[in-house]
Structure formats: C-alpha cells, structure tokens
Amino acid sequence: MSSTEAWTPVRWAENGKIRLAYDRLATGGDGEPLLLITGLGASRRWMPDGMCERLAAQGFAVARYDQRDAGESTHLPPAATRNPFAALFGKRGDAYTAEDTADDAISVLDALGWPSAHLFGQSLGGAVAQRIALRHPDRVRTLTSMSAVPGDAAGLGTLRYLRMGTLARFTRVKFPDTPEGAVEAGLAVARICASPGYPFDERKARETAERIADAGIHDPGAQSRQIGAQWSGPSIDSITVPTLVLHGDGDPLIRLSAARKTAARIPGARLIVLPGVGHEIPRPVWNEIAVQIRELADTSSEQRGRNGETAGH
C-alpha cells in the first residue's frame, strides 16, 4: 500500500476562521482514538507511516492533522516578528495564542466524532499536547509527549532547554520558495534532526522530502507565529491524565533536561529515555513507541475501570 492509499482523503475541521486539514489511517478504524500532533512548521505527513501502522496494530484508530500555519491548514498573514527564535521572547503572540492552538485540536476531534482521544505529540506537538491536556482534560485519555519542552515554558524559560548551536544551524536553512527548495530544506532539516545512534539514510530522507515537499519547515514567518503563540493557562503540574514522556538522549535540539523536568512536574508521569535517538522518530524505535503508548492506554483503562468511568471518557 502506498503512502497515499494508507490514509483517507484530506478532510477539514474548523475553529472559527481557521481550517484544519486532517486525515485518518485506513487501517485500525475500530481501535481507540489516537491523535498525532507534529512539530514546528511541519506537515502532518512527516509522522512516519510505518510508526502509524504499528500504532494501528496495537489497537488504535490513528488520525493526524496540520496545525495552523503548517501543511494544508490555514496560514495566517505575516506578523511583526519573522524570526522564530526572536519570537520566543515576545510578551505575547502576534497572531494567536497557545490556547488557540490547543482549541484547534479539539475542533479536529469534533470533526472526527471523537468525544476523547489519546494524544501523541512530537517536538512542538508535544508541548501542544500538554496544553490540550490542561485546557481540555475531559477530551484526553492519555498524553504522550516526545522531544518537547514543558508546555508552560516561555521566553528564557524555554531557552534553557534548547541547544544554541543547533538553533544556529536551523537559521541557516534557507532555500528558494519552490518545490525544489522545499525538498532541499526538508533534507537539510532531516540531517540536523538525525539520530546519532542510527545511520542516516540519505536516500530515504530525500524520498520522504520529495514526497512531502513541505514549505512550512523553512517558512520563518509561519514558524514565528507558531512558536510565538504563548501560553497563559495553568502550569503542567495540573495535568491529571496518564502521561508518558519520551526523549532521545542524542537529541541535538532539545536537551534531555526538558523531558526530565516535564516528567518530574506532571503527577505520575513516566519518563523513557531512548538511547541514540535524536530530534526525530527513527525506524528502530517505532515499535517500542507503539508498545509504550499501548501500555499507557491499558493503564488508563484500568484506572478508569477502578473509578467506575466509561470507556468513552
């Protein structure tokens, strides 16, 4: 089955004037709802199909969506700050808030007809998933946050978790705004995010970049609006859903201390460190991630059963 055939045709959810593109994996339709959330500027198609298929094999109905300012979802007009890393230090988002992006995910759940779902977010998507669990706890069954900073970190509080050398490399990823430029940018980002413990497959990375040809990963304006969307809600200490924190010990962008802090602050959260993994989701850990999310879901079901809650949550 090709990548295109593996997923339903694109569908649309709406949050006010924002249209959000989403689709579902063709297999596993009767499983437990699981929503995937990608990182900064990235299309939903960057989530590895093979990992999604392993999640389906673990009993999940898998859906993914493009955050606003990414992929096929609504892109907002230019804002004052067009440097993603300068946007970290703004007092508030120029275009929208982090609460808005959390609400976007709920609009996708509504469009899917899912009263609640398990969440898996990677990179910026992990921070967004944490905020969804804070803002809409009744819609979240479990939370898995990978390669992410604490969802309530802001400004200098975020900077302490980032590797400045890698940030500098990202700022140099500049290619023409063409399909060819998007491919070269995708390949460059893949190299930066690669896992030091696993061989970098240049051919496969180029094939993926060509298949997706996503301009968002080298659109500094869109990334600035996403990263500048600041959170003013409660702290992650208030998260109540069962939580798993995953992080590669070779992550070149976000320090392992970010995951340790997140896991320490969320009550009952469990941290799993993935040896040799960078700021990506390499093939060798796809099955482990799927199994760990399954175990988290099973633990959640047992807890709900003891508390007399229904499976619909």
Side-chain angles (χ1 to χ4, degrees):
M1 181 182 293
S2 71
S3 176
T4 301
E5 294 171 338
W7 297 88
T8 64
V10 62
R11 299 170 184 170
W12 303 92
E14 295 185 358
N15 181 14
K17 296 181 179 179
I18 302 299
R19 298 183 77 225
L20 302 151
Y22 72 94
D23 50 16
R24 289 183 58 172
L25 193 66
T27 56
D30 295 331
E32 296 177 43
L34 172 63
L35 185 65
L36 310 182
I37 311 170
T38 51
L40 183 66
S43 159
R44 66 190 186 278
R45 295 187 174 94
W46 283 103
M47 279 288 185
D49 285 349
M51 184 189 71
C52 296
E53 290 163 359
R54 284 164 175 75
L55 287 165
Q58 290 291 334
F60 294 105
V62 181
R64 59 187 185 178
Y65 75 102
D66 292 332
Q67 295 198 62
R68 61 173 71 193
D69 269 323
E72 297 175 277
S73 293
T74 298
H75 287 242
L76 280 295
T81 303
R82 295 186 59 81
N83 182 309
F85 307 111
L88 278 171
F89 306 105
K91 292 184 178 179
R92 65 179 186 83
D94 286 328
Y96 44 84
T97 67
E99 284 82 353
D100 292 328
T101 61
D103 293 347
D104 286 345
I106 299 305
S107 297
V108 174
L109 293 186
D110 289 343
L112 285 161
W114 289 352
S116 64
H118 303 280
L119 301 181
F120 172 62
Q122 195 261 347
S123 192
L124 176 65
V128 171
Q130 294 172 49
R131 296 162 185 163
I132 298 166
L134 285 168
R135 188 165 169 84
H136 303 280
D138 59 321
R139 304 298 297 271
V140 180
R141 299 188 184 193
T142 65
L143 162 65
T144 301
S145 176
M146 179 173 178
S147 311
V149 301
D152 55 359
L156 291 174
T158 301
L159 191 62
R160 73 182 64 169
Y161 300 119
L162 304 179
R163 298 186 185 278
M164 299 307 295
T166 305
L167 292 184
R169 293 180 66 191
F170 274 114
T171 63
R172 294 194 290 269
V173 178
K174 297 178 181 178
F175 292 92
D177 188 16
T178 63
E180 295 77 16
V183 170
E184 294 305 318
L187 185 58
V189 169
R191 287 194 192 101
I192 293 172
C193 295
S195 297
Y198 301 97
F200 179 67
D201 190 333
E202 179 97 11
R203 181 186 62 80
K204 185 66 175 177
R206 179 172 288 278
E207 287 177 356
T208 300
E210 289 174 345
R211 174 170 57 84
I212 298 172
D214 176 26
I217 57 174
H218 71 119
D219 179 350
Q223 293 176 2
S224 294
R225 294 188 292 275
Q226 284 191 342
I227 208 168
Q230 304 223 354
W231 175 251
S232 59
S235 72
I236 61 170
D237 306 69
S238 302
I239 291 176
T240 58
V241 302
T243 299
L244 174 66
V245 179
L246 303 172
H247 208 96
D249 66 4
D251 191 323
L253 178 60
I254 298 180
R255 299 179 186 276
L256 181 57
S257 59
R260 295 192 190 282
K261 179 65 72 172
T262 299
R265 292 180 56 204
I266 297 176
R270 186 163 64 100
L271 171 65
I272 295 179
V273 178
L274 302 170
V277 171
H279 197 72
E280 60 157 352
I281 312 177
R283 180 186 296 270
V285 300
W286 290 350
N287 192 65
E288 179 179 358
I289 289 173
V291 168
Q292 292 294 343
I293 294 176
R294 177 70 265 165
E295 290 184 3
L296 180 68
D298 290 343
T299 299
S300 174
S301 296
E302 292 171 2
Q303 290 176 353
R304 291 200 305 271
R306 288 195 296 269
N307 294 334
E309 299 177 27
T310 64
H313 184 44

